[in-house]
């Protein structure tokens, strides 16, 4: 079964850091681009970051550029999101999603259940 | 902030047809980037409904259809069912090298 499973969410103080992980299984991980999408409580979906299958190309939303870093370890079938300088407005459920191809232009065809990040003092 | 605009809500009686618009610009939909659609049921993760403007993943009923023209796209649901009550989002890419989601539309089955 093709699936992705996020972990690493939690409560962090403003200005703090957190690293999210996304374990993938059931597909050839390095053949597919991956992405992070977040959803603040009661709000719509917001794309956060994407990475190509090779890991050579990365993309970020303006709201997180310079603070978040996306990476992947294709030997471990795992996607990461390093989040630094966290702000209250980063509070959201963070979803990991597989794209249907090797670049970020494809649709997001497999989603995890999400991990919650709360930024608060 | 989203640059893909959707109506906040649409509603219809069971069996009716509803349509959701997704209005973009020359830097995203109009630039030729594909549009994808997602369904998010209450309390659940989003699910891919339409990819590449018009294609349905296996398992998605043919009641759902997508189209694209110029700087806009649309999702149509025919034969509306109670289980279709959900939030729907369009998504495309932007020439600023960012993916974008639409503002989201809540579909209510009367």
């Amino acid at each position: 079964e093709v699936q992705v499973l996020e972990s690493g969410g939690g409560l962090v103080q403003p200005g703090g850091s957190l690293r999210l992980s996304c374990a993938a299984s059931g597909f050839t991980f390095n053949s597919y681009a991956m992405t992070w999408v977040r959803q603040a409580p009661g709000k719509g979906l917001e794309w956060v970051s994407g990475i190509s299958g090779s890991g050579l190309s990365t993309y970020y939303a303006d709201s997180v550029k310079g603070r978040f870093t996306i990476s992947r370890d294709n030997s471990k079938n795992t996607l990461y999101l390093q989040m630094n300088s966290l702000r209250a407005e980063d509070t959201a459920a963070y979803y990991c999603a597989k794209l249907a191809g090797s670049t970020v232009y494809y649709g997001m065809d497999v989603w995890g259940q999400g991990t919650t990040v709360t930024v608060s003092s | 902030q989203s640059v893909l605009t959707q109506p906040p809500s649409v509603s219809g009686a069971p069996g009716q047809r509803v349509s959701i618009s997704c209005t973009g610009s020359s830097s995203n939909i109009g630039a030729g980037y594909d549009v994808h659609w997602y369904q998010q049921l209450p309390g659940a993760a989003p699910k891919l409904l339409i990819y590449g403007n018009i294609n349905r993943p296996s398992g998605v009923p043919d009641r759902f259809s997508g189209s694209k023209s110029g700087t806009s796209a649309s999702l149509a649901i025919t034969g509306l069912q109670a289980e279709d009550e959900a939030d729907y989002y369009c998504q495309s890419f932007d020439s600023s090298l960012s993916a974008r989601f639409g503002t989201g539309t809540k579909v209510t089955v009367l």
Side-chain angles (χ1 to χ4, degrees), chain A residues 4 9 14 19 24 26 35 37 41 48 52 55-56 70-71 74-75 81 91-92 100 103 106 109 114-115 118 121:
Chain A
V4 294
R19 188 177 83 156
T35 191
V37 174
V48 173
S52 62
L56 294 178
I70 191 171
S71 62
N74 286 344
S75 68
L81 185 68
T91 294
T103 71
Y106 288 85
D109 62 350
T115 187
T118 303
S121 55

Short mmCIF file of all heavy atoms in Angstrom, two decimals, chain A residues 4 9 14 19 24 26 35 37 41 48 52 55-56 70-71 74-75 81 91-92 100 103 106 109 114-115 118 121:
data_model
loop_
_atom_site.label_atom_id
_atom_site.label_comp_id
_atom_site.label_asym_id
_atom_site.label_seq_id
_atom_site.Cartn_x
_atom_site.Cartn_y
_atom_site.Cartn_z
N VAL A 4 2.17 7.62 3.24
CA VAL A 4 3.14 8.52 3.86
C VAL A 4 2.65 8.81 5.26
O VAL A 4 1.44 8.93 5.50
CB VAL A 4 3.33 9.82 3.05
CG1 VAL A 4 3.95 9.52 1.70
CG2 VAL A 4 2.01 10.56 2.87
N GLY A 9 5.58 16.70 15.02
CA GLY A 9 4.86 17.89 15.45
C GLY A 9 4.86 18.03 16.97
O GLY A 9 5.24 17.12 17.69
N PRO A 14 7.67 30.55 20.40
CA PRO A 14 8.04 31.45 19.29
C PRO A 14 9.55 31.60 19.22
O PRO A 14 10.22 31.76 20.26
CB PRO A 14 7.34 32.76 19.66
CG PRO A 14 6.17 32.34 20.49
CD PRO A 14 6.65 31.15 21.28
N ARG A 19 11.66 19.84 13.68
CA ARG A 19 11.87 19.13 12.43
C ARG A 19 10.78 18.08 12.24
O ARG A 19 10.59 17.21 13.09
CB ARG A 19 13.25 18.44 12.38
CG ARG A 19 13.54 17.86 11.00
CD ARG A 19 14.91 17.23 10.88
NE ARG A 19 14.96 15.86 11.38
CZ ARG A 19 15.85 14.96 10.99
NH1 ARG A 19 16.77 15.29 10.11
NH2 ARG A 19 15.83 13.74 11.50
N ALA A 24 7.87 7.35 3.96
CA ALA A 24 7.11 6.89 2.78
C ALA A 24 7.31 5.39 2.59
O ALA A 24 8.37 4.84 2.88
CB ALA A 24 7.58 7.64 1.54
N GLY A 26 5.74 1.85 -0.01
CA GLY A 26 4.86 1.34 -1.05
C GLY A 26 5.10 1.89 -2.44
O GLY A 26 4.35 1.55 -3.37
N THR A 35 5.98 17.09 -1.17
CA THR A 35 5.63 18.43 -0.78
C THR A 35 5.09 18.48 0.64
O THR A 35 4.69 17.44 1.19
CB THR A 35 4.59 19.01 -1.77
OG1 THR A 35 4.42 20.41 -1.55
CG2 THR A 35 3.24 18.34 -1.61
N VAL A 37 2.28 20.68 2.91
CA VAL A 37 1.13 21.58 2.86
C VAL A 37 0.63 21.76 4.28
O VAL A 37 0.62 20.80 5.05
CB VAL A 37 0.00 20.99 1.98
CG1 VAL A 37 -1.26 21.85 2.05
CG2 VAL A 37 0.47 20.82 0.54
N PRO A 41 -5.88 26.18 11.86
CA PRO A 41 -7.20 25.81 12.36
C PRO A 41 -8.31 26.63 11.73
O PRO A 41 -8.29 27.86 11.74
CB PRO A 41 -7.09 26.10 13.86
CG PRO A 41 -5.64 25.96 14.17
CD PRO A 41 -4.92 26.46 12.96
N VAL A 48 3.47 24.85 1.40
CA VAL A 48 4.62 25.31 2.16
C VAL A 48 5.92 25.16 1.36
O VAL A 48 6.70 26.09 1.24
CB VAL A 48 4.73 24.54 3.49
CG1 VAL A 48 6.03 24.88 4.22
CG2 VAL A 48 3.52 24.82 4.36
N SER A 52 11.99 18.07 -5.62
CA SER A 52 11.96 17.12 -6.72
C SER A 52 12.37 15.73 -6.25
O SER A 52 12.89 15.56 -5.14
CB SER A 52 12.89 17.58 -7.84
OG SER A 52 14.23 17.63 -7.37
N GLY A 55 15.89 15.51 -5.31
CA GLY A 55 16.27 16.39 -4.21
C GLY A 55 17.06 17.61 -4.67
O GLY A 55 17.40 18.47 -3.85
N LEU A 56 17.32 17.70 -5.96
CA LEU A 56 18.17 18.79 -6.45
C LEU A 56 17.42 20.11 -6.56
O LEU A 56 18.02 21.19 -6.55
CB LEU A 56 18.75 18.41 -7.80
CG LEU A 56 19.74 17.24 -7.79
CD1 LEU A 56 20.21 16.94 -9.21
CD2 LEU A 56 20.93 17.54 -6.88
N ILE A 70 13.42 22.24 3.28
CA ILE A 70 12.93 20.92 2.91
C ILE A 70 14.11 20.08 2.44
O ILE A 70 15.04 20.58 1.80
CB ILE A 70 11.84 21.02 1.81
CG1 ILE A 70 11.14 19.68 1.62
CG2 ILE A 70 12.42 21.54 0.51
CD1 ILE A 70 9.91 19.76 0.71
N SER A 71 14.09 18.81 2.78
CA SER A 71 15.12 17.89 2.32
C SER A 71 14.56 16.49 2.27
O SER A 71 13.47 16.23 2.78
CB SER A 71 16.35 17.96 3.23
OG SER A 71 16.01 17.54 4.54
N ASN A 74 16.75 9.80 0.26
CA ASN A 74 16.18 8.75 -0.58
C ASN A 74 16.63 7.35 -0.16
O ASN A 74 15.97 6.38 -0.49
CB ASN A 74 16.52 9.00 -2.05
CG ASN A 74 15.70 10.16 -2.64
OD1 ASN A 74 14.69 10.56 -2.07
ND2 ASN A 74 16.13 10.67 -3.77
N SER A 75 17.70 7.27 0.60
CA SER A 75 18.12 5.95 1.09
C SER A 75 17.25 5.49 2.26
O SER A 75 17.19 4.29 2.55
CB SER A 75 19.58 6.00 1.54
OG SER A 75 19.73 6.81 2.69
N LEU A 81 11.17 18.42 7.01
CA LEU A 81 10.96 19.86 6.97
C LEU A 81 11.56 20.44 8.24
O LEU A 81 11.04 20.21 9.34
CB LEU A 81 9.47 20.22 6.87
CG LEU A 81 9.20 21.72 6.70
CD1 LEU A 81 9.69 22.21 5.34
CD2 LEU A 81 7.71 22.04 6.87
N THR A 91 1.40 28.02 13.27
CA THR A 91 0.56 27.01 13.92
C THR A 91 -0.42 26.43 12.90
O THR A 91 -1.19 27.15 12.27
CB THR A 91 -0.22 27.64 15.08
OG1 THR A 91 0.69 28.03 16.11
CG2 THR A 91 -1.23 26.65 15.66
N ALA A 92 -0.35 25.11 12.73
CA ALA A 92 -1.17 24.46 11.71
C ALA A 92 -0.98 22.95 11.77
O ALA A 92 -0.07 22.46 12.43
CB ALA A 92 -0.77 24.95 10.31
N ALA A 100 2.45 13.11 -8.12
CA ALA A 100 2.24 12.01 -9.04
C ALA A 100 3.36 11.86 -10.06
O ALA A 100 3.27 10.99 -10.93
CB ALA A 100 0.90 12.18 -9.75
N THR A 103 8.41 15.87 -10.69
CA THR A 103 8.52 17.32 -10.50
C THR A 103 7.32 17.83 -9.72
O THR A 103 6.33 17.13 -9.54
CB THR A 103 8.59 18.07 -11.84
OG1 THR A 103 7.31 17.99 -12.47
CG2 THR A 103 9.66 17.47 -12.74
N TYR A 106 3.07 18.23 -10.75
CA TYR A 106 2.03 17.20 -10.74
C TYR A 106 1.07 17.39 -9.57
O TYR A 106 1.35 18.13 -8.62
CB TYR A 106 2.67 15.82 -10.65
CG TYR A 106 3.37 15.38 -11.90
CD1 TYR A 106 4.68 15.74 -12.17
CD2 TYR A 106 2.71 14.58 -12.84
CE1 TYR A 106 5.32 15.33 -13.32
CE2 TYR A 106 3.34 14.16 -13.99
CZ TYR A 106 4.65 14.55 -14.22
OH TYR A 106 5.28 14.14 -15.37
N ASP A 109 -1.05 13.13 -5.02
CA ASP A 109 -1.96 11.99 -5.08
C ASP A 109 -2.00 11.13 -3.83
O ASP A 109 -2.87 10.27 -3.71
CB ASP A 109 -1.68 11.13 -6.32
CG ASP A 109 -0.29 10.53 -6.31
OD1 ASP A 109 0.54 10.91 -5.45
OD2 ASP A 109 -0.02 9.67 -7.18
N GLY A 114 -1.37 14.04 8.67
CA GLY A 114 -0.99 15.33 9.22
C GLY A 114 -0.38 15.24 10.61
O GLY A 114 -0.66 14.30 11.36
N THR A 115 0.46 16.20 10.91
CA THR A 115 1.02 16.34 12.25
C THR A 115 0.84 17.79 12.67
O THR A 115 1.02 18.70 11.85
CB THR A 115 2.50 15.91 12.29
OG1 THR A 115 2.97 15.91 13.64
CG2 THR A 115 3.39 16.82 11.46
N THR A 118 2.14 23.57 17.02
CA THR A 118 1.58 24.70 17.76
C THR A 118 2.72 25.57 18.24
O THR A 118 3.60 25.09 18.96
CB THR A 118 0.73 24.22 18.95
OG1 THR A 118 -0.30 23.35 18.50
CG2 THR A 118 0.11 25.41 19.67
N SER A 121 3.79 30.53 23.51
CA SER A 121 4.57 30.65 24.74
C SER A 121 3.75 30.20 25.93
O SER A 121 4.23 30.20 27.06
CB SER A 121 5.04 32.09 24.92
OG SER A 121 3.95 32.98 24.90
#
